[in-house]
Amino acid sequence: MTHLEQLEAESIHIIREVAAEFENPVMLYSIGKDSSVMLHLAQKAFYPAKPPFPLMHVDTTWKFREMIEFRDRMAQECGFDLLIHTNEEGARQGVSPFTHGSALYTDIMKTEGLKQALDKYKFDAAFGGARRDEEKSRAKERIFSFRTETHRWDPKNQRPELWNIYNAKVKKGESIRAFPLSNWTELDIWQYIYLEQIPIVPLYYSQVRPVVERDGMLIMVDDDRLKLLPGEEVQMKSVRFRTLGCYPLTGAVESEAATLPEIIQEMLLTRTSERQGRLIDHDQAGSMEKKKQEGYF
Amino acid sequence: MVHQSDLIEHDIHAYLKAQEEKSMLRFITCGSVDDGKSTLIGRLLWDSKLVFEDQLAALEVDSKRVGTQGEEIDYALLLDGLQAEREQGITIDVAYRFFSTDKRKFIVADTPGHEQYTRNMVTGASTADVAIILIDARKGVLTQTKRHSYLASLVGIKKIVVAINKMDLVDYGQARYEEICTQYGELAQDLGFEEITYIPISALKGDNIIATTSQTLMLETNMPWYDGPALLTYLENVELGDRATTRPFRMRVQWVNRPNLDFRGFCGTIASGQCRPGDCVVVPSSGLQSKISRIVTMDGDLGIASAGQSVTLTLEDEIDISRGDMLTVPEQRPEFADQFEAKIVWLHEDALLPGRSYLLKAGSAVTPAQISALKHKVNVNTLQFEPGKTLEMNEVGVCNIALDRAIAFDAYVDNRHTGNFILIDRFTNATVGAGMINFALRRATNIHWQAVEVDKQARAEIKKQQPKVLWFTGLSGAGKSTLANLVEQKLHSLGKHTYLLDGDNVRHGLNRDLGFTDADRVENIRRIAETSKLFVDAGIIVLTAFISPFRSERAMAREILEPGEFIEIFVDTPLAVCEQRDPKGLYKKARSGELKNFTGIDSAYESPENPEIVINGAERSAEELAGKIVMELFG
Ligand SMILES: Nc1nc2c(ncn2[C@@H]2O[C@H](COP(=O)(O)OP(=O)(O)O)[C@@H](O)[C@H]2O)c(=O)[nH]1
Ligand SMILES: [Mg+2]
């Protein structure tokens, strides 16, 4: 078997195991490329049946418009049940990346929103598309990652994971985050998307887009909620995104890569890791580890 | 450079095409603290261009802040992930790292070398194909080296690289290298490795890590005396020898896929062997066989599937298969047993307790299980057997295990994927143990179920008896109930499964709606006969104690049963005796006309013509008569 065939088989094994062991699993759908691969693998795992769990998107209300369009189209085309949850309290209070800063905003709209949704639907397992190669603290993450009743992750108290046997036992209120893409790298993901022709949000491809330069990043002006600061001006640049999140927090890279091979080529020839485009990781050293402990993915 | 930068730049399509052929290798690095594991892996990541510029920037900052290399880059910091452990300067858990070359993708389990971390090493090694045992050239073979090698062999790793590190600190000396090789060779003698490769390296300086041109040409190298492969060259080329594929077909069912009534697919990952449509498969737990009709995937049906693939199989016959069952080839079946001996590595602070019930999970099969005996512990440093009553965290023991129900498995040495299990604490849900099965125990071995329909015979066989109806017939007061009761007691004490149908338990329930007219008496007996037949079908010995006065109904009862099953016992007690006994005062009422249709008085009793047994209830004691019946029938 080739490495992609092996990765695919292992992911399918994990997805089936979760479906079989838990009463009420959900697949978290972030609309990014990893989510697209995860969705594709879920379809493969249960073909010709539909996956026996819904998709859930935690909508911070600050996603790129193209992401939302893509999400709704995919849900319709694949016939998935799509649940959308927003932290209404946060939205009512007008929490935004501009007013509250990236750390607090992420905590309220993303981490809290996710916990609310998990509590509301009483999910006992949630699939996430995180990879171990993304960030140092994730390299030690289990494939079945245990979360307490308050959704906390305790890096010192994780269940050892041997072979491909996963311990799925949880008490009422506790849950498991399952990461079927744990052993994939960014390059594996792109190669697989290329090979399997998996649809992805067009924002990954270069196009001339309106951007402003802010804090050393190129931020796309996706709607009129982005207010220009003194000295800033909107520029039209050929840009694309290596990672997708909330538009005010996601930096674009200047690029001409308009096809998958070109994207892969660009990725291999530049040596900047993908999470750099995300503001939240840079807040403090080891910040991802802190966020994970609090329940962020 | 490890990646073909030229190809990437000038012909990305050709590059992508080549990437599709890449294979995957998992390995672990084991060594004691400071042997250089993190440095080695950091360098492999670095040399294979897996370190990005922003990570490098962070690495430079971190190196100065907490690094051990002064102003130089400390590659180990690429690895040592969590904040807490970075500050302590140690690796505290298993971390997985990824890098790739043009030939292979690698997954490295970085496992720490502390005394108390056997569990982490076993965890990391459980999925590895190759183990790199690091030895500090200055220190040579240590106790820990032995432990790491034993644990690698315990989890079934067959290929070992002994990386003799820090050669720069022993002046790249050949003699020292050879001395260590000899030491290690002795240590590994009994560990069952198939291949041991010795490579002298400097993780810090980069010697023999990747093959550089000058090294290939043996120019300007620090160790001209070494003509073996560089570490990465070895890892890129080591034969993965798909042994799993050549073994007998095994697949544990993970999920039964039923999108509609016409499709029933069995999903799972093939643990070993291959399968094709048309192949016979058997379910060891039931003995049921069928043939594979399709191998279904979203990309179309497959003509063949092999170990490692996650597939969905449909079968030609509708046989009962559920999650946890194993599909295997009929010719080479796995063990199917509820007891086995296994090696157990204990992973939890709460010690193993023989006799406590744990959940055992073997693939998708889950069942409660107990450690019935801890035979001995294995000292992982000396490999000596030691007696013990419990296993503490990081201890290894050989145990007998009894399961609540039998499961299919193979010995771990024969099949890593069907010979393993984990133990889960039923109260805390923690993963407390990891097990590798040695062999099935006693009676449990190799009793493979015949594909039997569960029918009358099967039910009877399990009860070790011939089902029958002992049909007691005779006048009221003849002693039918008394005799039937005594006979049932005697049969029960012989271990027979019986059931007594009597006026009491039938008239008040099933036949509550019936009176004593002739029509009702007929219906009464018909229902009793049919009920008896069901019990016989269930494998039970039925006793009935009813007057059943009419020949035709008794004949009907005889007919609906199979020859030999209907035993008519005529309790032939003279009317005068019955009337004299009159236990319920019924004869008196009948004589006085208060009671109509009473058998023997104003309703006929038709004596049997050819009863199997005739008893004169007046002749001897009921006890003796009952003994006589049992002797006659079950001698
Ligand atoms: N001179 C020399 N030092 C090394 C070599 N490999 C590792 N070290 C040093 O040994 C120390 C421990 O290394 P580290 O990789 O953290 O060991 P680990 O505990 O096995 O992960 C560090 O100071 C390294 O720089 C080597 O080949 N030569
Ligand atoms: Mg280390």
Side-chain angles (χ1 to χ4, degrees):
Chain A
M1 288 169 89
T2 68
H3 76 294
L4 289 178
E5 287 168 346
Q6 271 190 58
L7 290 170
E8 177 190 80
E10 286 172 16
S11 301
I12 289 174
H13 179 88
I14 293 160
I15 292 170
R16 287 172 174 167
E17 201 60 16
V18 171
E21 287 267 13
F22 292 91
E23 270 166 33
N24 191 18
V26 66
M27 181 166 274
L28 298 178
Y29 181 58
S30 75
I31 322 173
K33 63 183 192 310
D34 300 318
S35 277
S36 296
V37 168
M38 190 162 63
L39 191 66
H40 185 74
L41 291 165
Q43 288 175 290
K44 283 197 167 194
F46 301 102
Y47 177 87
K50 289 210 176 103
F53 40 75
L55 287 185
M56 186 169 75
H57 177 227
V58 178
D59 191 349
T60 58
T61 72
W62 290 92
K63 298 292 168 193
F64 290 90
R65 282 175 302 165
E66 277 182 83
M67 289 173 74
I68 301 299
E69 282 161 23
F70 182 83
R71 175 194 73 190
D72 295 341
R73 184 160 63 79
M74 287 308 289
Q76 207 191 7
E77 280 175 14
C78 306
F80 265 97
D81 285 340
L82 174 67
L83 306 170
I84 298 165
H85 181 85
T86 298
N87 181 350
E88 293 300 344
E89 182 58 28
R92 229 184 338 270
Q93 291 175 6
V95 174
S96 84
F98 305 120
T99 54
H100 290 67
S102 78
L104 188 58
Y105 158 79
T106 304
D107 182 53
I108 295 173
M109 296 310 285
K110 209 163 167 174
T111 311
E112 273 311 308
L114 174 62
K115 288 189 206 170
Q116 283 173 356
L118 295 175
D119 287 340
K120 176 174 163 192
Y121 295 100
K122 307 218 174 334
F123 293 119
D124 52 1
F127 288 103
R131 291 177 279 111
R132 284 172 172 155
D133 83 323
E134 274 176 74
E135 208 276 336
K136 261 192 239 180
S137 76
R138 283 189 170 154
K140 305 188 174 195
E141 180 62 288
R142 305 301 196 259
I143 289 171
F144 274 38
S145 179
F146 177 79
R147 302 301 159 102
T148 63
E149 236 170 312
T150 53
H151 307 287
R152 284 187 75 88
W153 178 71
D154 179 359
K156 297 229 168 57
N157 192 18
Q158 291 205 74
R159 297 170 176 176
E161 229 163 43
L162 294 100
W163 301 290
N164 62 355
I165 309 179
Y166 302 105
N167 178 352
K169 296 287 168 217
V170 291
K171 293 180 187 161
K172 207 167 152 27
E174 298 170 345
S175 62
I176 293 287
R177 301 275 169 92
F179 300 112
L181 303 181
S182 286
N183 289 332
W184 296 60
T185 62
E186 187 183 12
L187 180 58
D188 297 329
I189 292 283
W190 282 119
Q191 279 175 350
Y192 190 71
I193 289 172
Y194 171 68
L195 215 63
E196 298 276 312
Q197 301 178 1
I198 299 170
I200 51 170
V201 183
L203 291 163
Y204 285 111
Y205 299 108
S206 270
Q207 202 180 302
V208 176
R209 296 184 168 100
V211 291
V212 294
E213 213 178 312
R214 183 176 289 180
D215 299 332
M217 295 203 310
L218 289 174
I219 302 294
M220 180 167 152
V221 186
D222 196 47
D223 58 37
D224 54 18
R225 291 181 294 177
L226 187 126
K227 302 277 182 273
L228 294 187
L229 303 174
E232 283 181 347
E233 58 173 306
V234 178
Q235 306 166 54
M236 296 305 286
K237 284 194 169 166
S238 176
V239 294
R240 61 179 207 90
F241 295 86
R242 295 186 57 188
T243 172
L244 291 179
C246 300
Y247 82 81
L249 298 176
T250 309
V253 289
E254 287 194 68
S255 164
E256 300 296 330
T259 65
L260 273 174
E262 283 167 9
I263 289 173
I264 297 173
Q265 183 176 39
E266 188 179 277
M267 190 201 111
L268 289 168
L269 295 177
T270 60
R271 300 182 83 183
T272 308
S273 73
E274 72 183 305
R275 294 200 75 88
Q276 200 197 15
R278 293 191 187 177
L279 261 176
I280 48 172
D281 292 350
H282 296 295
D283 286 352
Q284 66 209 111
S287 69
M288 181 62 88
E289 185 188 340
K290 283 213 173 65
K291 289 208 174 59
K292 282 194 60 155
Q293 288 183 12
E294 287 153 11
Y296 177 69
F297 250 84
Chain B
M1 276 302 123
V2 180
H3 278 289
Q4 302 163 337
S5 303
D6 271 6
L7 203 52
I8 294 171
E9 221 174 323
H10 299 115
D11 193 351
I12 184 69
H13 292 274
Y15 172 81
L16 287 171
K17 191 81 208 130
Q19 294 297 306
E20 286 171 26
E21 305 305 319
K22 263 189 345 197
S23 58
M24 189 152 103
L25 178 83
R26 293 170 196 258
F27 65 92
I28 48 163
T29 52
C30 353
S32 307
V33 190
D34 285 349
D35 280 350
K37 294 178 301 297
S38 301
T39 309
L40 173 65
I41 299 169
R43 178 164 282 280
L44 287 169
L45 298 187
W46 177 252
D47 285 344
S48 61
K49 293 186 76 172
L50 263 282
V51 181
F52 293 107
E53 266 150 25
D54 54 334
Q55 290 176 335
L56 177 62
L59 183 63
E60 276 168 1
V61 174
D62 287 357
S63 292
K64 293 197 179 112
R65 198 165 63 85
V66 289
T68 59
Q69 294 303 306
E71 289 300 300
E72 304 234 347
I73 287 183
D74 187 350
Y75 291 111
L77 290 180
L78 275 174
L79 275 286
D80 295 341
L82 301 186
Q83 234 172 15
E85 74 192 74
R86 276 168 69 177
E87 270 140 38
Q88 291 165 28
I90 50 163
T91 316
I92 55 169
D93 204 335
V94 191
Y96 294 91
R97 299 291 160 183
F98 307 86
F99 67 96
S100 70
T101 67
D102 290 321
K103 283 199 174 148
R104 272 192 179 153
K105 169 190 168 103
F106 298 95
I107 302 182
V108 195
D110 181 19
T111 59
H114 306 290
E115 191 101 24
Q116 65 270 43
Y117 289 131
T118 293
R119 84 171 202 168
N120 294 336
M121 189 189 140
V122 168
T123 303
S126 68
T127 50
D129 310 300
V130 171
I132 299 180
I133 309 258
L134 264 115
I135 296 180
D136 184 328
R138 297 168 303 173
K139 298 181 189 157
V141 170
L142 302 175
T143 304
Q144 289 95 313
T145 316
K146 190 163 192 168
R147 176 183 348 140
H148 298 145
S149 304
Y150 169 68
L151 294 174
S153 90
L154 180 72
V155 296
I157 295 177
K158 298 284 175 212
K159 301 196 173 173
I160 298 289
V161 178
V162 180
I164 298 155
N165 189 31
K166 308 198 186 180
M167 286 302 291
D168 55 307
L169 298 180
V170 295
D171 297 327
Y172 298 105
Q174 182 177 10
R176 181 63 182 147
Y177 163 79
E178 278 167 1
E179 190 183 348
I180 291 171
C181 295
T182 312
Q183 283 175 5
Y184 189 85
E186 280 164 21
L187 172 158
Q189 239 165 26
D190 302 324
L191 294 177
F193 298 130
E194 280 169 9
E195 189 184 297
I196 302 176
T197 306
Y198 300 91
I199 308 178
I201 62 168
S202 168
L204 193 66
K205 312 275 180 208
D207 299 273
N208 287 333
I209 304 296
I210 64 167
T212 59
T213 324
S214 65
Q215 275 167 354
T216 314
L217 298 176
M218 306 253 271
L219 301 167
E220 288 175 57
T221 142
N222 287 320
M223 291 174 273
W225 45 266
Y226 175 75
D227 59 2
L231 181 61
L232 194 56
T233 314
Y234 172 85
L235 294 173
E236 279 190 312
N237 295 297
V238 56
E239 284 281 337
L240 289 175
D242 259 344
R243 268 173 304 157
T245 306
T246 60
R247 299 222 155 98
F249 174 72
R250 306 270 189 264
M251 185 185 103
R252 274 214 179 88
V253 175
Q254 261 190 302
W255 175 264
V256 180
N257 194 354
R258 307 203 67 170
N260 55 55
L261 291 175
D262 301 327
F263 188 92
R264 204 167 129 85
F266 302 101
C267 307
T269 304
I270 300 177
S272 63
Q274 301 190 317
C275 66
R276 295 175 185 77
D279 283 0
C280 270
V281 287
V282 65
V283 185
S285 57
S286 64
L288 293 171
Q289 292 202 21
S290 185
K291 278 187 179 158
I292 295 173
S293 54
R294 295 171 58 198
I295 305 172
V296 181
T297 78
M298 198 164 90
D299 307 311
D301 283 11
L302 303 180
I304 183 167
S306 312
Q309 283 180 271
S310 288
V311 292
T312 299
L313 306 180
T314 63
L315 302 181
E316 284 179 6
D317 310 281
E318 280 230 359
I319 57 177
D320 189 28
I321 299 174
S322 37
R323 175 173 159 86
D325 279 334
M326 201 189 271
L327 294 174
T328 83
V329 279
E331 301 80 35
Q332 291 154 295
R333 297 187 192 197
E335 298 282 359
F336 180 69
D338 58 6
Q339 291 185 53
F340 51 71
E341 187 194 275
K343 297 191 191 81
I344 291 185
V345 180
W346 202 249
L347 309 169
H348 202 265
E349 287 148 9
D350 300 338
L352 172 151
L353 294 180
R356 170 176 288 183
S357 179
Y358 297 99
L359 271 189
L360 180 143
K361 188 171 186 193
S364 51
V366 183
T367 175
Q370 292 182 19
I371 313 302
S372 46
L374 172 55
K375 301 175 104 174
H376 56 255
K377 303 202 279 192
V378 181
N379 181 319
V380 295
N381 294 323
T382 63
L383 311 193
Q384 301 295 308
F385 292 172
E386 292 170 357
K389 292 225 170 344
T390 65
L391 280 185
E392 304 286 341
M393 178 143 92
N394 296 310
E395 288 190 326
V396 180
V398 175
C399 306
N400 287 349
I401 299 182
L403 313 181
D404 279 18
R405 63 177 181 84
I407 59 165
F409 59 85
D410 293 288
Y412 190 74
V413 289
D414 293 333
N415 196 324
R416 220 171 155 183
H417 298 287
T418 54
N420 56 2
F421 61 88
I422 60 168
L423 293 171
I424 299 169
D425 185 288
R426 300 184 72 175
F427 182 68
T428 64
N429 290 329
T431 303
V432 291
M436 288 138 285
I437 299 173
N438 289 343
F439 44 78
L441 285 171
R442 282 188 281 149
R443 61 186 159 82
T445 312
N446 279 329
I447 306 170
H448 278 285
W449 286 71
Q450 291 304 307
V452 282
E453 250 183 83
V454 181
D455 56 13
K456 190 198 312 190
Q457 199 193 335
R459 295 185 201 102
E461 262 167 30
I462 209 170
K463 300 183 181 69
K464 302 185 176 57
Q465 67 186 23
Q466 282 295 318
K468 286 183 190 346
V469 180
L470 310 189
W471 189 284
F472 292 83
T473 174
L475 294 171
S476 177
K480 300 179 298 297
S481 295
T482 311
L483 284 172
N485 264 301
L486 286 168
V487 169
E488 186 180 33
Q489 280 170 24
K490 290 182 191 301
L491 293 178
H492 186 80
S493 65
L494 290 172
K496 305 289 180 192
H497 297 248
T498 58
Y499 193 71
L500 175 63
L501 293 171
D502 203 345
D504 289 335
N505 59 15
V506 173
R507 276 282 179 191
H508 297 306
L510 177 64
N511 290 357
R512 187 172 55 195
D513 56 334
L514 300 178
F516 291 88
T517 62
D518 283 0
D520 280 359
R521 282 172 186 273
V522 169
E523 174 60 9
N524 183 40
I525 297 305
R526 188 194 70 79
R527 290 187 193 173
I528 290 160
E530 289 291 349
T531 306
S532 301
K533 187 186 171 188
L534 292 177
F535 274 94
V536 165
D537 197 52
I540 290 185
I541 296 167
V542 189
L543 303 95
T544 67
F546 298 92
I547 299 170
S548 48
F550 307 129
R551 280 188 200 119
S552 66
E553 275 63 57
R554 295 194 303 262
M556 178 273 292
R558 187 184 287 273
E559 267 162 35
I560 62 172
L561 291 159
E562 287 184 31
E565 284 177 344
F566 185 80
I567 312 291
E568 197 171 15
I569 301 173
F570 179 26
V571 186
D572 189 13
T573 310
L575 177 62
V577 179
C578 298
E579 193 164 359
Q580 199 199 331
R581 288 177 181 165
D582 201 14
K584 296 174 197 159
L586 297 174
Y587 280 95
K588 214 164 150 204
K589 282 188 187 166
R591 288 291 179 195
S592 70
E594 269 179 74
L595 199 59
K596 294 280 176 222
N597 299 326
F598 195 69
T599 305
I601 308 298
D602 60 346
S603 181
Y605 178 78
E606 301 171 351
S607 295
E609 284 166 340
N610 291 303
E612 274 73 12
I613 294 174
V614 182
I615 297 283
N616 185 335
E619 256 176 28
R620 289 192 236 164
S621 76
E623 186 60 47
E624 282 177 88
L625 293 171
K628 191 176 157 215
I629 293 168
V630 172
M631 272 305 289
E632 210 156 306
L633 291 173
F634 299 92

